[in-house]
């Protein structure tokens, strides 16, 4: 019953074995080599975010006036701009280089056939019309049409969120980003890189956004208030200097001394240093901050939206429970499962889960029928006995049928175990009819380590968790309950309301939404944001990118797609959701420290205003120059804090 792929196939253009090397080079030259996809923030984005700020604009304006009309020594405060911007650029640049190295390590290659010879080639070398072969474990690196498929099953979770592998046959479309988990095939490339389905999903999401954290927004509000105060007090001071006929260079120095002292420049540098120190500590735990404010921002999060596959669960499976048939003991069923799982010649993910739960030594196999999605059952003869394992519908289960159906409705994967006195059939897809049930095996996705403790911590801190997944609602709900997320009802995301009010109500009340599209995830996150909630999104797939962009804080798994990592504020290199509590603790510690010392800088600004309103408006000369105030503030407040 085994089938193999042919060594040659008929290409659409009439070539028997894919394109020729010369034709491929010609097409690549005509189309142009595709641009390298973003693996992280660009350096231009990092520089813009750290240089073009309200604080820098205020100091730069007064610095320019001082350099033009005054002495360069009075422009010492411009060093604050360099320090503040340099800290952010350096730390975020380190994160960028780390992500670029990660992307280089995991860059996929294709098994392309040219001139009838199969060889590995970088994705950037593929062109439309190329023939690419797939084997179990290979990534689909371009969109195309299957020309050959032998029991091919693809994991498309990174595109759709659906954890169950999908069967694909010749003539069907395959999309870049999916993985072959079973079987093999060959497809003709239609679209690569920027023209692929994954690139179309992300759309404008390629650009990195720069959301400000709550503390930064509060500081900016303070700065805007101080700008208003600067205009008023600066105008009063200039009027006083004008009526005293003070020379222009002295007037500029005096005005700068009074006005610049109103700006809490040390507070901004302190914030940058605090963020940088937190980023270094988190980097040691395998968490990269693409924006330094992200760690503090997480401390303010009210809602975290997560994907199921890859976040709450791992790619592997686990045995959730066993239900034995009448007259069969639990130990007996476990012993049979252990023998079968250990002896199967080509174990799939389900068999591996059973083998992990019930280990045993392999036995000699007399005959075997491997599992296929078409047959939906498998069989093996060991020790003179025949055992069958497959979908419950393929066997007569008697009283177990109702229980199997109930578990399936809850979103679990259910397998029936039976034994038969008859040998395995050699040329039929129907299991032996003379079989008796042993029991059913309830399979679930394996939960990530410490996920229950992580969920419990977040809920205890008042953070809501919402699961947005492309998987079936019942499956998502069962996993959510397993990890401790309250589930009132599982919502079908394929029918989201169009009304903004109804969508806002649904987004606020629902904790589990399945069968949701990338656009649906984005709509839910945007609705929560519009209602005033501080929303974080954690995802790993291309299908999560629109929602990541819509969130106030985007967190990506290091094991996820390159696009998800490139647009996220935080990247969990270990891919472990259990790292989030440490992030929350780090962010809250930084926020508490900054809130304490911020009062000192506000006090300094109030003192500067007092000096302007008293000495500055008197007939006496203003006693301080900008250099005096810069050094005094640095020694008394800046360095100590």
């Amino acid at each position: 019953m085994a089938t193999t792929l042919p060594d040659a196939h008929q290409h659409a253009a009439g070539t028997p074995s894919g394109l020729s090397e010369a034709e491929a080079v010609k097409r690549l030259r005509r189309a142009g080599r595709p641009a390298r996809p973003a693996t992280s923030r660009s350096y231009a984005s990092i520089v813009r975010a750290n240089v073009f700020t309200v604080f820098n604009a205020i100091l730069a304006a007064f610095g320019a006036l001082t350099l033009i009309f005054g002495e360069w020594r009075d422009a010492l405060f411009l060093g604050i701009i360099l320090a503040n911007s340099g800290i952010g650029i350096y730390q975020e640049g380190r994160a960028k280089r780390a992500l670029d190295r990660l992307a280089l390590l995991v860059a996929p290659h294709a098994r392309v056939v040219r001139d009838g010879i199969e060889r590995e080639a970088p994705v950037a070398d593929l062109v439309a019309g190329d023939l690419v072969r797939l084997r179990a474990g290979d990534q689909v690196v371009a969109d195309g049409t299957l020309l050959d498929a032998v029991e091919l099953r693809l994991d498309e979770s990174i595109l759709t969120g659906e954890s169950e592998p999908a069967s694909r046959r010749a003539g069907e479309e395959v999309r870049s980003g999916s993985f072959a988990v079973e079987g093999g095939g060959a497809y003709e490339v239609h679209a690569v890189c920027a023209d692929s389905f994954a690139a179309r999903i992300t759309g404008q999401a390629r650009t990195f956004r720069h959301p400000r954290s709550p503390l930064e927004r509060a500081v900016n509000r303070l700065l805007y208030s101080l700008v208003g105060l600067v205009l008023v007090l600066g105008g009063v001071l200039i009027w006083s200097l004008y009526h005293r006929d003070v020379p222009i260079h002295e007037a500029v120095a005096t005005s700068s001394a009074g006005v610049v002292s109103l700006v809490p420049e040390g507070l901004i540098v302190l914030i940058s240093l605090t963020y940088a120190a937190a980023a270094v500590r988190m980097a040691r735990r395998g968490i990269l901050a693409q924006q330094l404010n992200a760690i503090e921002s997480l401390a303010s999060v009210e809602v975290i939206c997560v994907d199921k596959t890859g976040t709450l669960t791992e790619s592997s499976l686990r045995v959730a429970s066993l239900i034995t048939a009448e007259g069969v003991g639990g130990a007996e069923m476990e012993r049979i499962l252990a023998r079968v799982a250990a002896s199967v010649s080509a174990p799939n993910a389900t068999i591996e889960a059973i083998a992990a739960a019930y280990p045993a030594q392999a036995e000699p196999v007399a005959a075997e029928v491997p599992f296929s999605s078409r047959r939906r059952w498998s069989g093996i003869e060991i020790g003179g006995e025949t055992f069958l394992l497959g979908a419950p519908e393929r066997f007569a289960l008697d009283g177990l049928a109702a229980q199997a159906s109930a578990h399936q409705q809850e979103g679990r994967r259910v397998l029936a175990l039976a034994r038969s006195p008859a040998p395995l059939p050699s040329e039929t897809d129907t299991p032996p009819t003379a079989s008796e049930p042993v029991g059913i095996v309830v399979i679930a996705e394996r939960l990530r380590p410490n996920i229950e403790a992580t969920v419990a911590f977040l809920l205890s801190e008042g953070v809501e968790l919402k699961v947005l997944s492309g998987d079936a609602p019942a499956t998502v709900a069962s996993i959510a309950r397993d990890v401790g997320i309250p589930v009132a009802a599982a919502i079908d995301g394929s029918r989201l309301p169009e009304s903004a009010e109804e969508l806002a109500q649904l987004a606020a009340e629902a904790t589990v939404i399945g069968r949701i599209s990338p656009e649906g995830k984005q709509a839910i996150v945007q609705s929560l944001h519009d209602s005033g909630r501080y929303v974080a999104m954690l995802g790993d797939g291309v299908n999560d990118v629109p929602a990541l962009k819509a969130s106030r804080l985007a967190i990506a798994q290091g094991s996820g797609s390159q696009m998800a990592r490139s647009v996220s504020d935080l990247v969990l290199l270990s891919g472990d959701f259990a790292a989030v509590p440490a992030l929350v603790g780090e962010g809250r510690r930084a926020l508490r420290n900054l809130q304490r010392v911020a009062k000192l800088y506000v006090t300094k600004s109030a003192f500067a205003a007092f000096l302007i309103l008293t000495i500055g408006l008197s007939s006496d000369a203003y006693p301080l120059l900008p250099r005096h105030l810069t050094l005094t503030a640095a020694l008394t407040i800046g360095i100590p804090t």
Side-chain angles (χ1 to χ4, degrees), residues 211-230:
R212 296 300 174 187
S213 71
L215 179 63
E216 284 181 318
R217 293 202 305 275
V219 170
N220 281 346
R221 286 195 297 270
L222 173 63
L223 290 176
Y224 285 128
S225 301
L226 290 176
V227 166
L229 188 61
V230 161

Side-chain angles (χ1 to χ4, degrees), residues 317-570:
L317 302 174
R318 61 187 169 95
V319 176
S321 62
L322 300 180
I323 302 174
T324 60
E326 186 176 353
V328 178
E332 181 184 0
M333 183 174 177
E334 291 179 6
R335 187 166 57 253
I336 294 173
L337 283 172
R339 295 174 62 198
V340 170
S343 303
V344 168
S345 60
N348 55 23
T350 304
I351 294 296
E352 288 174 352
I354 295 173
Y358 310 109
Q361 293 295 322
E363 300 180 28
V365 177
E368 183 178 9
V369 175
F371 178 84
S372 77
S373 57
R374 177 172 52 84
R375 283 189 298 270
R376 301 179 65 211
W377 68 275
S378 63
I380 190 170
E381 290 183 30
I382 49 177
E385 297 180 279
T386 299
F387 298 106
L388 310 170
L389 194 65
E393 304 84 47
R394 302 293 280 166
F395 305 99
L397 295 179
D398 301 327
L400 293 176
Q403 296 184 65
S405 177
H407 282 289
Q408 286 175 323
Q409 290 176 4
E410 291 176 358
R412 302 297 194 190
R413 187 180 304 179
V414 180
L415 293 175
L417 175 64
R419 54 187 161 197
S420 172
L424 287 173
S426 58
E427 297 296 335
T428 179
D429 290 334
T430 305
T433 55
S435 62
E436 60 177 21
V438 175
I440 58 175
V441 185
V442 182
I443 300 292
E445 293 173 76
R446 185 178 297 278
L447 302 180
R448 281 194 169 274
N450 304 316
I451 187 64
E452 297 99 326
T454 302
V455 168
F457 169 82
L458 293 172
L459 294 177
S460 68
E461 293 291 319
V463 178
E464 291 184 44
L465 288 170
K466 298 182 183 293
V467 187
L468 311 179
S469 175
D471 234 334
T475 303
V476 183
S478 64
I479 292 296
R481 292 189 188 97
D482 286 348
V483 301
I485 297 175
V487 181
I491 306 299
D492 187 343
S494 63
R495 295 189 294 272
L496 293 177
E498 296 184 2
S499 165
E501 293 78 11
E502 293 179 1
L503 182 62
Q505 182 178 358
L506 174 68
E509 296 175 355
T511 56
V512 169
I513 303 179
R515 293 282 184 239
I516 189 168
S517 65
E519 296 76 15
K521 289 186 180 184
Q522 181 184 27
I524 291 292
V525 172
Q526 188 65 52
S527 179
L528 289 168
H529 177 274
D530 293 342
S531 64
R533 310 297 298 280
Y534 202 91
V535 187
M537 175 70 196
L538 195 155
D540 61 350
V542 172
N543 61 316
D544 296 319
V545 170
L548 289 169
K549 291 285 293 183
S551 66
R552 296 293 297 274
L553 180 67
I555 309 173
Q557 306 277 27
S559 56
S561 71
Q562 185 170 291
M563 179 59 73
R565 295 196 302 267
S566 70
V567 302
S568 294
D569 306 307
L570 291 170

Side-chain angles (χ1 to χ4, degrees), residues 66-188:
T66 302
L67 290 174
I68 293 172
F69 297 104
E71 292 192 42
W72 66 268
R73 290 176 296 177
D74 289 329
L76 287 177
F77 56 84
L78 289 178
I80 302 294
I81 296 179
L82 298 177
N84 182 50
S85 301
I87 291 168
I89 292 171
Y90 174 73
Q91 284 295 339
E92 293 175 11
R94 283 185 61 187
K96 170 185 169 54
R97 290 190 293 274
L99 287 176
D100 289 345
R101 288 194 297 270
L102 175 64
L104 189 62
L105 288 174
V106 300
H109 283 67
R111 302 177 192 275
V112 64
V113 178
R114 290 180 181 164
D115 293 321
I117 301 173
E118 179 183 310
R119 67 177 180 85
E120 284 201 352
V123 177
D125 288 351
L126 294 184
V127 296
D130 260 327
L131 170 63
V132 177
R133 292 192 180 277
L134 276 179
R135 300 175 190 168
D138 288 350
Q139 179 179 346
V140 179
V141 296
D143 294 356
T145 301
L146 281 171
L147 302 177
D148 298 311
V150 179
E151 298 185 357
L152 178 63
R153 288 166 65 81
L154 297 180
D155 178 353
E156 299 175 341
S157 59
I158 204 168
L159 299 174
T160 65
E162 172 67 67
S163 61
E164 185 71 21
S167 296
R168 291 287 177 253
R169 298 178 178 83
E172 294 185 339
E173 298 290 320
V174 292
R175 292 167 173 171
S176 60
S178 54
F179 289 83
V181 294
E182 290 181 15
Y187 63 95
E188 180 184 352

Side-chain angles (χ1 to χ4, degrees), residues 32-38 124 193-194:
R33 184 173 291 276
R36 182 182 176 185
C193 298

